[in-house]
């Protein structure tokens, strides 16, 4: 990108003017990572100052049995496979109650598209979990799962969402988005939920007062233009509803263990530099969403810290056993981070930690970085 084009984009960003498709593609074409990071950090600081958000959450997957066979997925199992499982509701409640002493404020629930579980299993699960953990927000189900519930129940998403909200649902999850462009989607997605239904379901959720996350799975067979298109679709929907709380770029994980379910297992993962570029461009393009999250599980801790200087202002949470990634990932990302671990990670990156709830309301502000720590070399986490 020549100096004139850089100045043109800088001027638009600083004037608060919206970047367009050609701007997004030009940003991805730039090899000046420091410039991209500085410009994205300027926007991040304008929106969120020196704050970096996190929450104390846990993940629960009720079943890994799935009727779909997505090319990127190592999590799904078919009925009868040795390691396929489906939790009884009482088992899910027991596991959730074991999480309570860690002080969680959110339980994140996603599952496979089970071919024989009845629809009523899902609202009943939420009701029982909410009784067991009344002060914990239930963030559950992708738009793909809601679409599946329509198929197995004969109900519409409007009625399904009403019943789930009545059972305790506070937010959908952002999964199932992957890449919306059909050219790419038909190569990687093994279910029937595409942009039209994904956007329909999130639009409906927003109309009912839910704030939801939005995501993008990058670093597989797509190109930068597909990432730009993906973000612009979400930006347009956000113009309409204002219901997205956060955007989360998710780095594709190849399967280092060689699981044949992951048909992209030989696809190289995006480099750290490509990840940082993706965060920066996302922050610059997606101008009407308040937060950009780096899901540290999919990026590693060092890249996550760097991402905070490339547009990201949220590190997700304590997580614990995120099977959907760890069933593929073998490069050493930890299973869990405690509250204290996250505070240290954020402070050592130079930011002030802020604990939040599912709707991004502040639970607690913490002290910022300790300058004294900079006087002594600190170990680098993987």
């Amino acid at each position: 990108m020549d100096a004139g084009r850089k100045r043109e984009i800088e001027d638009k960003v600083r004037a608060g003017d919206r970047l367009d498709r050609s701007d997004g593609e030009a940003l991805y074409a730039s090899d000046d990572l420091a410039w991209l990071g500085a410009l994205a950090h300027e926007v991040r600081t304008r929106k969120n100052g020196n704050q970096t958000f996190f929450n104390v959450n846990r993940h629960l997957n009720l079943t890994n049995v799935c009727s779909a066979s997505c090319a990127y997925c190592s999590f799904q199992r078919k009925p009868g496979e040795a390691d396929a499982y489906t939790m009884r509701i009482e088992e899910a409640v027991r596991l959730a109650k074991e999480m309570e002493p860690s002080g969680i404020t959110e339980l994140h629930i996603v599952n496979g598209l089970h071919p024989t579980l009845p629809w009523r299993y899902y609202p009943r699960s939420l009701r029982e979990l909410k009784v067991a953990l009344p002060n914990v927000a239930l963030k559950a189900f992708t738009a793909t799962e809601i679409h599946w519930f329509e198929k197995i129940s004969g109900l519409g998403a409007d009625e399904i969402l009403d019943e789930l909200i009545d059972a305790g649902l506070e937010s959908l999850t952002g999964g199932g988005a992957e890449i919306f462009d059909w050219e790419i989607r038909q190569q990687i997605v093994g279910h029937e939920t595409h942009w039209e239904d994904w956007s329909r379901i999130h639009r409906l959720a927003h109309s009912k007062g839910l704030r939801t996350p939005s995501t993008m799975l990058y670093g597989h067979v797509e190109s930068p233009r597909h990432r730009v298109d993906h973000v612009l679709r979400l930006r347009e929907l956000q113009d309409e509803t204002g219901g997205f709380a956060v955007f989360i770029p998710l780095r594709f994980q190849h399967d280092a263990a060689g699981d044949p379910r992951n048909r992209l297992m030989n696809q190289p993962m995006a480099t750290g530099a490509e990840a940082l570029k993706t965060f920066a461009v996302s922050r610059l393009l997606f101008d009407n969403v308040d937060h950009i999250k780096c899901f540290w599980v999919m990026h590693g801790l060092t890249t996550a810290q760097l991402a905070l200087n490339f547009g990201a202002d949220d590190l997700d949470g304590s997580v614990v056993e995120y099977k959907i990634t760890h069933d593929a990932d073998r490069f050493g990302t930890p299973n869990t981070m405690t509250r204290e671990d996250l505070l240290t990670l954020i402070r050592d990156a130079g930011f002030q930690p802020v604990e939040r709830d599912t709707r991004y309301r502040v639970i607690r502000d913490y002290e910022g970085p300790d300058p004294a720590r900079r006087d002594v070399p600190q170990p680098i986490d993987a």
Side-chain angles (χ1 to χ4, degrees):
M1 186 188 304
D2 62 33
R5 188 75 168 102
K6 280 185 177 180
R7 281 194 301 272
E8 179 186 345
I9 290 176
E10 287 173 358
D11 289 344
K12 289 177 77 170
V13 168
R14 287 170 181 151
D17 295 336
R18 175 160 280 186
L19 301 185
D20 60 23
R21 189 177 301 269
S22 65
D23 295 327
E25 292 179 4
L27 288 168
Y28 270 114
S30 172
D31 60 2
D32 192 342
L33 194 60
W35 173 75
L36 279 170
L39 195 58
H41 189 66
E42 189 175 321
V43 175
R44 177 245 204 264
T45 303
R46 187 189 309 156
K47 286 182 176 289
N48 293 295
N50 199 43
Q51 296 177 316
T52 291
F53 296 87
F54 73 95
N55 68 343
V56 180
N57 65 346
R58 294 284 291 266
H59 286 243
L60 184 67
N61 308 115
L62 300 173
T63 181
N64 65 351
V65 178
C66 190
S67 63
S69 298
C70 297
Y72 53 82
C73 184
S74 299
F75 172 72
Q76 59 90 13
R77 298 293 186 272
K78 299 308 176 192
E81 289 194 53
D83 52 353
Y85 73 87
T86 300
M87 293 183 188
R88 292 168 52 246
I89 293 175
E90 294 77 12
E91 180 186 1
V93 170
R94 176 183 60 78
L95 290 173
K97 284 295 288 183
E98 291 175 0
M99 303 171 185
E100 194 173 23
S102 63
I104 63 171
T105 61
E106 177 184 282
L107 190 60
H108 185 119
I109 304 168
V110 292
N111 315 288
L113 308 179
H114 197 293
T116 59
L117 266 181
W119 146 243
R120 291 294 169 195
Y121 171 88
Y122 300 98
R124 186 185 159 209
S125 296
L126 292 194
R127 287 186 192 281
E128 296 296 327
L129 288 165
K130 195 64 180 177
V131 168
L133 298 171
N135 298 315
V136 174
L138 299 180
K139 182 179 184 178
F141 311 130
T142 64
T144 304
E145 288 176 87
I146 302 298
H147 195 202
W148 180 253
F149 298 161
E150 288 184 301
K151 180 175 181 177
I152 64 174
S153 71
L155 303 173
D158 186 80
E159 188 173 347
I160 286 169
L161 286 171
D162 282 344
E163 184 159 349
L164 292 174
I165 291 168
D166 184 65
L169 181 72
E170 293 194 32
S171 174
L172 296 179
T173 69
E178 326 317 354
I179 290 289
F180 290 130
D181 182 90
W182 179 242
E183 173 189 339
I184 300 302
R185 199 166 185 84
Q186 63 187 325
Q187 299 178 54
I188 63 171
V189 169
H191 53 73
E192 297 176 357
T193 308
H194 305 305
W195 164 248
E196 293 76 15
D197 285 304
W198 193 98
S199 59
R200 170 180 63 86
I201 288 164
H202 278 268
R203 181 183 290 109
L204 188 57
H206 298 167
S207 75
K208 295 178 181 296
L210 298 183
R211 301 195 74 214
T212 67
S214 54
T215 65
M216 174 179 70
L217 184 71
Y218 74 93
H220 40 90
V221 299
E222 91 290 357
S223 66
R225 70 181 176 86
H226 299 120
R227 298 180 204 170
V228 171
D229 174 75
H230 188 96
V231 169
L232 293 183
R233 294 187 196 212
L234 291 170
R235 189 175 76 178
E236 183 176 355
L237 183 54
Q238 180 76 335
D239 278 340
E240 179 186 339
T241 71
F244 291 124
V246 62
F247 177 62
I248 315 167
L250 301 170
R251 181 167 67 166
F252 162 73
Q253 309 288 301
H254 66 188
D255 195 312
D259 189 329
R261 294 179 188 87
N262 191 321
R263 300 194 302 279
L264 301 179
M265 64 184 177
N266 296 318
Q267 185 76 20
M269 287 167 52
T271 64
E274 187 66 19
L276 295 177
K277 177 182 286 189
T278 300
F279 279 100
V281 178
S282 298
R283 178 63 286 173
L284 292 167
L285 268 185
F286 207 158
D287 53 28
N288 55 354
V289 73
D290 289 336
H291 303 286
I292 303 289
K293 180 191 294 185
C294 180
F295 189 37
W296 57 263
V297 176
M298 285 184 163
H299 291 89
L301 301 184
T302 299
T303 300
Q305 286 182 304
L306 290 169
L308 298 177
N309 288 284
F310 281 77
D313 64 278
D314 187 288
L315 286 184
D316 200 82
S318 46
V319 180
V320 182
E321 195 183 23
Y322 186 62
K323 291 179 66 62
I324 289 174
T325 292
H326 282 121
D327 279 358
D329 166 24
R330 298 292 184 273
F331 67 87
T333 307
N335 267 332
T336 185
M337 296 280 282
T338 66
R339 180 186 278 105
E340 290 303 319
D341 290 335
L342 288 162
L343 293 175
T344 298
L345 193 73
I346 292 166
R347 286 169 174 153
D348 280 359
F351 295 89
Q352 179 203 356
V354 177
E355 186 174 348
R356 61 165 178 84
D357 69 7
T358 299
R359 295 181 69 92
Y360 280 82
R361 294 171 299 211
V362 173
I363 294 174
R364 180 179 172 186
D365 291 308
Y366 292 85
E367 293 293 327
D370 178 4
R373 282 178 64 83
R374 298 188 179 275
D375 295 335
V376 179
Q378 301 296 318
I380 296 177
D381 292 314

